[in-house]
Structures are given as structure tokens and as C-alpha cells.
Amino acid sequence: MRIAFFDTKPYDKPSFDKYAEAYGVEIKYFETKLNGDTAELAHGFDGVCVFVNDTVDAEVIDKLCELGVKVVALRCAGFNNVDIRHARGKITVVRVPAYSPYAVAEHAMALLLTSIRRIHKAYIRSRDFNFSLSGLTGFDLHGKTVGIIGTGKIGRVFIDICRGFGMKVLAYDKFPVPDLDNGDTVRYVGLDELLSGSDIISLHCPLTEETYHMISEDAIEKCKKGVVIINTSRGALVDAEALLAGIKSRKVGAACLDVYEEESELFFEDNSGHILEDDTLARLISMPNVIVTSHQAFLTEDALENIAETTVANIVSFFEKGECPNEVG
Ligand code: NAD
């Protein structure tokens, strides 16, 4: 089994090398992302391994099929970058449905605490021996209401963390989880009630046609003044222009973003020597109440191990048994 591994980062290799050797899979690492221009690199390989910002659209799928590639192994949970409908019947797509919901949920809480307790400001100040407290006033999480959109694996871990802080939870999901609503500290409500009743809103649903720009100008209008918005899910769940307008008008009190809708050319790369073309992102980053991390919520040692093991096992299962429990579509 020969696998072409796209968009390789240094932190991918140790865990993938370990499991590839253990399972007898040969991996060739490419730094470039998979797209229409680079698909040719998969020539002579049985499968490709891709991440969130690789493009697996109809053109790439057709090219991979022409080259005899049999499987697209996503080393992530989300698959919005794959044209699943086009892939059906042509090429098998497998993914890692869960690798560490804790990694993402804990990052969401890290962002929230950093933001509302102004840790990002205090860290810079104290390094400059500026021990003034002016402008660092935060607020208690205890007693506040958090709105969780998407109560799957990550959303539920985040709910547990928030409950540990003594917060009340309003939850919204297209497919509610039985028994999660206790009628008191955790309640399922409609989206509008969640928007209007939450001090903090955290997004944990997938990006689909239905959830695209779920946090729109209209949605922000319905929110409480000063709402804190956390997005560790997918960038395009939030209309970035509307968010920026909400920050400027003071309707949105803070934003914690691990993902951004136009991230694919920017995130995961060192762009420090470049002029940033994206004015919306530049303006968001310039705001004192916006924290942006570069899609790093998944990045823990535990998650990387799980991702590598499941991805390699998916590939082996597909080639040896002709099926894989983690097939998409
Ligand atoms: P999951 O499938 O366990 O849960 C997703 C939940 O969203 C489900 O309960 C589902 O019913 C719900 N949902 C689906 N459509 C919805 C809709 N229209 N409205 C409301 N809810 C809807 O997924 P998960 O493992 O909890 O992951 C959630 C998301 O987190 C993923 O889709 C992925 O985009 C993102 N993610 C981000 C990172 C990161 O590093 N930032 C890492 C892993 C996952």
C-alpha cells in the first residue's frame, strides 16, 4: 500500500511514521496541498492522505481515479472539502470521526478564558514590566449562560467543561441527543432562543449548506449585547464581515476564532513576511477583543497519535477487507 500524503507538516511525521511501519504502509510525504494542479503527484500511489485545506473537488476526484488511486483518507473529522456526491461509486473516502473531542473543547475554553480575563493583554504587558491592571477587567463565567450549537462529541465535552464552571447551558442541534436536556442547567431550545439568551455562543456543528453563515448579520442582531462568539468548528459557519460589523458596533463583546472562512491559503503557514491581502481578517486580528488561532484546536499529542493510528488502520482495512467502518458517504 503506497500512500501520497499531502500538506505535510513536521508534526505529522512522527506519529504517521510509527503507525505506517507497524501496519506495513509506505508513505511519501508532500508539503504541497492537494488540488487540481498537484493531483498528478499521486501517480503510482494506491491512496492519498489529505487534511482540512486540501481540495478534493470533482476535478481532483476524476484525476485521482484516472491515476488509479482507490482511496482518499482524510486525517480529520470534517469532510466539507470533499465533493462526496461526486466521489460516490468512483473512489472511497474515509475519515477519522473522533480523535480527541477533548483537544478541541479544551481549546475552546482556553480561548474563552484568555479572551474574557484578558490574558493575551496581561502576558504582553508583564513581559514589558508593565504591571498596570487598567483595561484588564474581566467577568465571571459562573452563573453565565452558554449557547452550544451542535451537541455532538465536541459540543458535549464543552458542555461538561462549562458545567464545571457553574454555567447554564442552552443547546441547539438538528438532531438532539436524548437525555442531555435535564430541564434545568442544560436545556435544548430553538436557535433564536439560544441566540437571544446566551452570554457566550460556541459553535460545534459541521459546515453544510444549511449551516453556512449560520452566524449572519441577522443572527448577530438577535444576540445579547456583548455576546462572546467562539468558533472552533469551521470558518464559514460565521459570516466574517457580519462579525466584524458586530464588533465595530459593540454588539459583539468578543470573538474567539480558531477557524476562518478564507483560511485555506493562510492558516498553518508562516505569513509573517507577507502583506496580508485579506482586509477582513487583518481588521479582526487588529481588534483588542478578537483572538485568532490558526486552526490549532486539534493539535495535542494525544490527538495526533489517534489521528495517525485511525488513518493508517482505515487505509489497511479498506485494502485488506475491502471495507472500512469510517467510510464517508
Ligand atoms: P459530531 O458529528 O460528533 O457533532 C456534530 C453535531 O452537529 C451533531 O450532533 C449534529 O447533529 C449537529 N448538527 C448537524 N447539522 C446541524 C445543524 N444544521 N444545526 C445544528 N446542529 C447540527 O462532530 P464533532 O466531532 O463534535 O465535531 C464538530 C465539528 O468540529 C466538526 O464538524 C469539525 O468541523 C470541527 N472540528 C474542528 C477542529 C479544529 O481543530 N478546530 C477539530 C475537529 C473538529
Side-chain angles (χ1 to χ4, degrees):
M1 286 160 268
R2 296 191 72 225
I3 303 300
F5 193 104
F6 286 88
D7 200 12
T8 309
K9 294 288 180 284
Y11 50 77
D12 290 317
K13 286 188 185 174
S15 47
F16 269 93
D17 280 346
K18 175 174 148 188
Y19 289 103
E21 194 185 343
Y23 284 83
V25 173
E26 190 189 328
I27 296 181
K28 167 101 175 154
Y29 295 102
F30 295 103
E31 282 185 17
T32 184
K33 291 186 179 58
L34 177 63
N35 55 44
D37 297 330
T38 61
E40 191 68 41
L41 288 168
H43 179 76
F45 290 90
D46 305 303
V48 294
C49 181
V50 300
F51 196 48
V52 294
N53 289 325
D54 290 295
T55 306
V56 193
D57 58 11
E59 181 197 353
V60 170
I61 290 167
D62 290 344
K63 183 80 207 161
L64 293 176
C65 291
E66 257 174 53
L67 295 171
V69 172
K70 299 279 182 295
V71 65
V72 175
L74 287 152
R75 53 183 190 279
C76 54
F79 48 87
N80 50 285
N81 53 334
V82 181
D83 187 337
I84 292 295
R85 260 182 243 156
H86 193 78
R88 216 163 276 145
K90 294 192 173 80
I91 198 163
T92 299
V93 181
V94 296
R95 67 173 183 138
V96 185
Y99 40 87
S100 173
Y102 310 102
V104 182
E106 289 171 16
H107 190 76
M109 182 48 87
L111 289 174
L112 176 60
L113 284 172
T114 302
S115 169
I116 65 154
R117 301 309 302 267
R118 319 279 189 256
I119 305 294
H120 54 309
K121 297 277 159 201
Y123 175 75
I124 304 279
R125 277 190 199 182
S126 55
R127 284 176 66 88
D128 205 21
F129 308 120
N130 173 355
F131 301 115
S132 152
L133 294 182
S134 306
L136 299 185
T137 309
F139 62 83
D140 292 5
L141 287 180
H142 186 270
K144 296 294 183 300
T145 299
V146 61
I148 311 278
I149 301 182
T151 54
K153 292 174 283 299
I154 297 170
R156 290 204 302 277
V157 174
F158 194 62
I159 288 175
D160 286 346
I161 294 173
C162 290
R163 292 194 61 198
F165 276 78
M167 300 168 86
K168 294 194 179 78
V169 176
L170 295 180
Y172 169 73
D173 198 302
K174 203 175 166 190
F175 308 99
V177 180
D179 300 333
L180 187 65
D181 186 326
N182 62 16
D184 181 20
T185 47
V186 183
R187 286 197 301 120
Y188 272 115
V189 293
L191 185 57
D192 281 359
E193 189 178 343
L194 181 147
L195 294 171
S196 62
S198 301
D199 303 295
I200 295 145
I201 295 173
S202 195
L203 301 169
H204 300 287
C205 61
L207 176 61
T208 60
E209 276 168 26
E210 209 175 343
T211 61
Y212 176 81
H213 282 188
M214 179 175 227
I215 301 299
S216 59
E217 191 184 337
D218 265 11
I220 290 172
E221 193 51 48
K222 291 173 185 158
C223 289
K224 277 191 183 182
K225 185 167 165 43
V227 64
V228 179
I229 295 175
I230 310 169
N231 188 7
T232 55
S233 204
R234 282 292 181 267
L237 293 176
V238 176
D239 177 344
E241 300 272 355
L243 178 66
L244 180 58
I247 301 251
K248 282 184 178 171
S249 69
R250 278 54 170 183
K251 176 83 183 201
V252 176
C256 304
L257 308 175
D258 185 52
V259 285
Y260 175 68
E261 56 177 329
E262 304 296 339
E263 73 183 41
S264 59
E265 294 305 314
L266 296 167
F267 281 23
F268 305 111
E269 309 295 338
D270 179 0
N271 285 293
S272 55
H274 298 252
I275 306 295
L276 188 64
E277 300 282 347
D278 186 327
D279 290 348
T280 308
L281 180 61
R283 191 75 175 100
L284 280 169
I285 288 174
S286 77
M287 295 290 183
N289 52 352
V290 175
I291 296 185
V292 175
T293 51
S294 176
H295 207 137
Q296 80 175 69
F298 74 99
L299 195 63
T300 65
E301 289 171 5
D302 315 71
L304 290 175
E305 278 280 314
N306 293 339
I307 288 170
E309 183 170 19
T310 306
T311 304
V312 174
N314 282 345
I315 291 166
V316 171
S317 166
F318 170 74
F319 282 109
E320 288 186 353
K321 298 188 193 142
E323 58 176 28
C324 172
N326 295 326
E327 190 172 332
V328 186

